[in-house]
Amino acid sequence: MSIKDRLGKELLFLDGGMGTLLQAQGLEAGELPEAWNIKYPERVRQIHQRYKEAGSDIVLANTFGANRCKFHDTEYSLEEVIKAGIENAKQTGAFVALDVGPTGKLLKPLGDLSFEEAYEVFAEAVRYGEKYGADLIHIETMSDTYEVKAAVLAAKENSSLPVFATMIFDEKGKLLTGGDVPSVVAMLEGLRVDAIGMNCGLGPKQALPILKTMRKYSSLPIIVKPNAGLPKQKDGETYYDVEPEEFAETMLEIVNAGAAAIGGCCGTTPDHIREMVKSCRGQSILPLEKKHDTIVSSYGQAVLLGEKPVIIGERINPTGKKRLKEALKTKDFDYILKEAITQQDAGAHILDVNVGLPDIDEVSMMKEVVQQIQSVTNLPLQIDTVDVAAMEAAMRIYNGKPMLNSVSGKKESMDTVFPLVQKYGGVVVGLTLDETGIPETADGRVEIAGKIISEAEKYGIDKKDIVIDVLTMTISSEKDGAKVALKALSKVREQYGVRTVLGVSNISFGLPRRPVINGHFYSMAMLNGLSAGIINPSSAEMMQAYDSYVALMGYDENCQSYITKYAVAQTEQPVKKESAKMTLHYAIERGLKEESYKITRELVKEKDSLDIIKEELIPALNVVGEGFEKGSVFLPQLLMSADAAKMAFAVIKEQLSKANIQEEKKNKILLATVKGDIHDIGKNIVKVLLENYGFEVIDMGKDVAPEAIVQRVKEEHIKLVGLSALMTTTVVSMEETIRQLKKAGLQCKVMVGGAVLNQEYADMIGADFYGKDAMQSVHFAQEYFG
């Protein structure tokens, strides 16, 4: 039987950790673990064999870091390393997975690696994996939905193998880049992976609640591979604090909670796997349950189209909008981003994005606008275009599971759009029109809806991913337009059980005081089963209709949202406020770079530069930093705010230079990712924040030897050093660096961070401070330098 034949039908056992076992065999700090596939194959084979004998059905080849980012100027080629890695694992007779880990880089626009470059990194490894006999692709330890999407597409497009994907969540169920469990599930299921799950980061007990949330949303087999608790140290050796018996006991709970495949990650050994297999062997898995939730997602959140209606903001569409047309032609992206942010602030849950103009390259413009908007807001997007090339380009680079506007009942439309949904995933709007036009009757539109749902099924697209638009015809020319639409809405929901969407404001085209008609029709549509209204969320009438409906139907607990928004004295009437003048504080907070630059240029003419820093810049950065710590601001927004602040600082620096005013001397901080570790995402985030708070950062990069760090600390008279490590195999390099700094008698403090660290372990290796996140490092630096 193949692995796909067994997956989801019986409990499958994976292996455990590799790095710590290689260290026990003599792997030195900074040495590439994957190179041992060729240098010491018998040692690697012995570890694989021990896992097979412990009961593993699947062993992961020693290829976690085998990619061109690591293996470019090395003794062995990438192909040689992967070939040897798979051959070593295949000698066990178990199923062999090509183990694919992260690149260690942030993808653009947050980092310097493009989506397609990341894709090529993974594609190369995948091709070698299939060539040399891997049975499946196991993508693991991913902390970024964008990177895992690149890896999954690379695996699907460059091999015929089953694809497993597991993510690294924190205890709150969040990824480093902000994604939550529903958003991850929605995207990976849309990409049609064969199994999803979690690994690393957490011990087995901490993994349980995340598994339960995953089970709630996912229809796929779920993999759970936790660490053996937390890292500790004794007699100079690293160990983990969950013993094999305790690990096995909790893994049985994990199976009973819905896991279909289990194994271990950091700190787990063949003993852990043996006890786990002994405890769980013969245990039946919970049957897979097909979920029916209609979910669209971004990198940071999922939006469920359920009984409570959602709002799709309509303002990023050039039809009838002169200023937006101009912005698209001149590539004034800040204007477009302001429209996105304004709609988010006004209450939109999803943003429609349409950039179609006759005289622009819609493919490149759609890609650019989607990426730009995703850098400043975590709202999911609706990709709105009739250009199939633009639709595919946007779907490919979109970070999440998008909404698509649209497909129709025309055969040509379904033949071109459905294959894209099948490949990339998405919730697609089905327009109830076909080759004969738009039916005049509700029954005619309902019939086309059925045709769209039926055709989608042929592509494996479930009806939960179809949202029907029964079309709104203006009552100024179609007197029964509203009645037909409302009847069709109700019938579609009743007959097919799918979600619905409407462009609400079309109803009043050509009439005076359009918002009055729009608001009333919107309420009637929601009452007749409208799941999502495409509206202007800045329209008072539309939002009053929405807020009232939500309160009246019991979706607003104790009417709290309504009261908060509309609590004014009874004698007063709510007045629509004029748009306030944008402040530098707001521009930085929302990551608007060009606005930040323009506003600062004006401010320096009338205000002291240091006052601008104290009254605008620092307060804005504090708001964003505090939001990041609380989980209300996510990494992309944090970094875009940092970029906006840099633009303001550049203007101030120029002003100080013109006035011959010396900048205040900055405190220096040295940052490095330790020897053997190429993962510098965390370190780069800390760098951005420290620079924004006025520190001079000396960034030594990644894979930095202890001796080089000691030498640079001496030369630059550094008083604070920040060290980062992601892998268990490289934490020893961190300890060695601290040891050498102390041995050299250097009077500097050392702060450390990384996914495999905790406070207790940081204390044991002699660090002065452990930062759980980037902002904690900033606080420590501020405290240390006073």
Side-chain angles (χ1 to χ4, degrees), residues 285-300:
I285 62 172
L286 295 183
L288 299 179
E289 294 177 357
K290 189 174 181 181
K291 307 304 188 299
H292 302 287
D293 299 317
T294 300
I295 297 176
V296 292
S297 70
S298 67
Y299 67 83

Side-chain angles (χ1 to χ4, degrees), residues 509-701:
F509 190 77
L511 294 173
R513 296 192 65 190
R514 292 184 63 192
V516 176
I517 294 284
N518 295 344
H520 282 81
F521 177 65
Y522 189 23
S523 297
M524 295 167 75
M526 288 186 282
L527 195 58
N528 279 272
L530 179 64
S531 310
I534 304 174
I535 68 166
N536 175 8
S538 296
S539 163
E541 290 84 356
M542 296 301 270
M543 291 309 293
Q544 285 163 8
Y546 177 81
D547 295 332
S548 301
Y549 177 85
V550 168
L552 288 164
M553 298 303 290
Y555 299 125
D556 182 359
E557 191 71 30
N558 298 320
C559 299
Q560 280 302 309
S561 296
Y562 185 88
I563 292 167
T564 301
K565 190 168 182 179
Y566 297 103
V568 292
Q570 291 185 358
T571 54
E572 297 177 16
Q573 292 294 319
V575 179
K576 188 176 179 181
K577 296 178 181 176
E578 292 299 317
S579 296
K581 183 181 176 183
M582 183 173 290
T583 64
L584 179 58
H585 184 295
Y586 184 83
I588 291 170
E589 190 181 333
R590 303 317 292 259
L592 299 172
K593 293 182 285 187
E594 293 303 319
E595 289 293 332
S596 177
Y597 179 80
K598 290 174 189 172
I599 293 168
T600 310
R601 295 281 294 184
E602 294 302 313
L603 276 177
V604 293
K605 295 175 184 177
E606 56 194 50
K607 201 169 186 178
D608 180 75
S609 295
L610 296 179
D611 287 341
I612 296 171
I613 293 172
K614 289 174 187 173
E615 294 169 16
E616 298 268 2
L617 274 159
I618 297 301
L621 290 170
N622 285 339
V623 168
V624 175
E626 287 164 13
F628 183 65
E629 286 182 298
K630 291 174 184 173
S632 58
V633 170
F634 302 106
L635 182 60
Q637 296 154 289
L638 180 79
L639 297 182
M640 290 304 292
S641 294
D643 284 346
K646 279 182 186 174
M647 298 291 274
F649 275 124
V651 175
I652 290 169
K653 189 174 181 179
E654 182 187 338
Q655 184 71 12
L656 291 173
S657 176
K658 284 180 183 176
N660 289 319
I661 299 172
Q662 289 294 314
E663 280 190 84
E664 190 177 324
K665 192 174 181 182
K666 297 179 178 179
N667 294 303
K668 291 181 184 177
I669 300 174
L670 183 144
L671 297 181
T673 301
V674 297
K675 185 177 179 182
D677 206 317
I678 63 161
H679 303 88
D680 60 357
I681 292 175
K683 183 259 300 171
N684 290 344
I685 296 166
V686 173
K687 176 187 175 183
V688 167
L689 291 175
L690 287 171
E691 287 178 338
N692 270 354
Y693 279 89
F695 296 100
E696 180 183 342
V697 176
I698 296 168
D699 182 2
M700 293 192 70

Side-chain angles (χ1 to χ4, degrees), residues 187-209:
M187 188 190 79
L188 290 177
E189 288 200 354
L191 290 168
R192 299 179 187 274
V193 299
D194 297 284
I196 64 171
M198 73 195 84
N199 77 287
C200 203
L202 301 172
K205 288 190 185 303
Q206 293 78 27
L208 254 172

Side-chain angles (χ1 to χ4, degrees), residues 17-44:
M18 174 63 76
T20 46
L21 298 183
L22 291 176
Q23 285 176 323
Q25 296 266 17
L27 180 75
E28 295 181 3
E31 195 175 0
L32 294 174
E34 298 80 14
W36 272 41
N37 294 338
I38 299 171
K39 287 171 75 173
Y40 305 110
E42 69 289 346
R43 299 184 195 180
V44 177

Side-chain angles (χ1 to χ4, degrees), residues 102 274 392 781:
R274 185 176 294 104
E392 178 167 19

